[in-house]
Amino acid sequence: MKENVIKKVNGFGKIGVVVGHVCRGFSVAAAIGILLFSIGSILLAGKLGDVEYYNGVKWTLNLASFDEEDREEILSEIMESIENDAEGNLVIQESELKVAKGEVSLAVQNNDMSVVSAEYDEENETILVDTRAKDINIFMPLKVVIMTICVILTAVAEVITFTFVIKLCRKFKTCETPFSQPIVNDLKKVTLSLIPWCITYPLLEASLEMMATNRFAFSLDLGLIFVVFAINALTYIFRYGAMLQQESDETL
């Protein structure tokens, strides 16, 4: 029974070494590919064309749903909030509407939304406004540089971790017992190498989101933090097992 368990541990070690090499190679290849892509996109910026997109919003306000004496005030307030900016584009200025039945707020930061069209239908007493957000340039050089740095940091963290995993699996491949101090030491190194992942992966996600939204929103990944704690707890279990193994060997 014991020999069968050790054989399975050795087999796990063999598979782990192969998988570790594959993952480490993929991380390096992905980082090199992103780096070459980034250099190319910066050098060719504007020559092949830009990729931009925008979010559009259409909204309709039915004035008939308000008291008749408030309709003129609401219509005037909304139409006055739509003005030309310095470049001649229609934009929504920040404004606030107050009506008898409550409050209707139109609070949009100046120049944040451009107005494609604004029409008042007198027959149906409705205001139709078609707006669009500012264009977002996905491959802006600064965005590409930030994203590339985050990719490289993530790749470095991955390579370090997979290197320690390969070293650990090599010991599993030839060990007579998994409960030994060298294995505990390597498992501890794997745990410590995972700590940077808790920073690099959220940074990478934030940089990718920034390319599409212009917002750099960094937040810690609680799932990764939990994985680090779980593997760290596993390290102490193996350490305790190594102590029992040593005591058993000394007794024999």
Side-chain angles (χ1 to χ4, degrees):
M1 181 67 178
K2 179 180 178 181
E3 292 181 354
N4 290 334
V5 173
I6 296 300
K7 286 182 180 180
K8 290 182 179 180
V9 172
N10 296 152
F12 169 79
K14 294 177 182 179
I15 295 174
V17 169
V18 175
V19 173
H21 278 295
V22 172
C23 292
R24 186 172 63 178
F26 178 79
S27 297
V28 173
I32 293 175
I34 292 294
L35 181 61
L36 293 176
F37 167 78
S38 301
I39 294 173
S41 63
I42 292 174
L43 293 177
L44 297 176
K47 295 181 179 179
L48 295 179
D50 294 324
V51 178
E52 297 183 352
Y53 79 97
Y54 66 88
N55 293 319
V57 178
K58 288 184 178 180
W59 55 275
T60 303
L61 180 63
N62 185 9
L63 295 180
S65 61
F66 296 97
D67 293 335
E68 186 173 354
E69 59 269 18
D70 295 325
R71 297 175 190 175
E72 289 294 331
E73 180 183 352
I74 295 173
L75 175 61
S76 175
E77 185 72 26
I78 291 180
M79 300 309 289
E80 286 179 0
S81 68
I82 301 173
E83 302 175 358
N84 291 316
D85 62 7
E87 298 177 355
N89 300 315
L90 287 173
V91 297
I92 299 179
Q93 309 293 333
E94 187 174 355
S95 65
E96 182 177 333
L97 305 178
K98 292 183 178 180
V99 295
K101 291 184 178 180
E103 291 189 0
V104 178
S105 296
L106 176 63
V108 183
Q109 290 183 353
N110 187 18
N111 296 334
D112 187 52
M113 299 286 289
S114 296
V115 179
V116 179
S117 63
E119 301 177 356
Y120 173 56
D121 186 345
E122 294 186 11
E123 182 178 353
N124 296 315
E125 292 189 284
T126 57
I127 301 175
L128 175 62
V129 181
D130 186 2
T131 62
R132 57 178 286 178
K134 285 185 176 180
D135 294 345
I136 297 176
N137 186 349
I138 297 177
F139 296 110
M140 183 184 299
L142 179 59
K143 291 182 180 181
V144 174
V145 170
I146 294 175
M147 184 269 293
T148 303
I149 292 174
C150 292
V151 168
I152 293 175
L153 290 175
T154 303
V156 170
E158 290 176 345
V159 168
I160 292 174
T161 297
F162 291 134
T163 298
F164 285 132
V165 168
I166 292 171
K167 186 178 178 181
L168 174 64
C169 289
R170 282 175 178 165
K171 285 188 172 61
F172 280 139
K173 186 172 67 172
T174 58
C175 71
E176 296 181 357
T177 173
F179 299 113
S180 63
Q181 194 57 44
I183 288 180
V184 172
N185 293 338
D186 284 345
L187 187 57
K188 187 66 176 179
K189 292 177 182 178
V190 172
T191 303
L192 294 175
S193 70
L194 286 173
I195 294 177
W197 288 42
C198 300
I199 303 297
T200 57
Y201 267 97
L203 279 175
L204 180 59
E205 292 178 355
S207 67
L208 293 175
E209 181 181 355
M210 182 185 65
M211 294 187 73
T213 64
N214 284 346
R215 294 190 304 270
F216 190 85
F218 176 82
S219 60
L220 292 176
D221 191 329
L222 297 180
L224 281 174
I225 295 176
F226 176 78
V227 169
V228 173
F229 275 107
I231 297 179
N232 190 50
L234 187 63
T235 301
Y236 284 101
I237 294 174
F238 270 79
R239 179 176 295 176
Y240 181 71
M243 292 171 57
L244 294 179
Q245 184 70 53
Q246 184 178 359
E247 291 177 0
S248 175
D249 294 340
E250 291 175 352
T251 301
L252 295 175

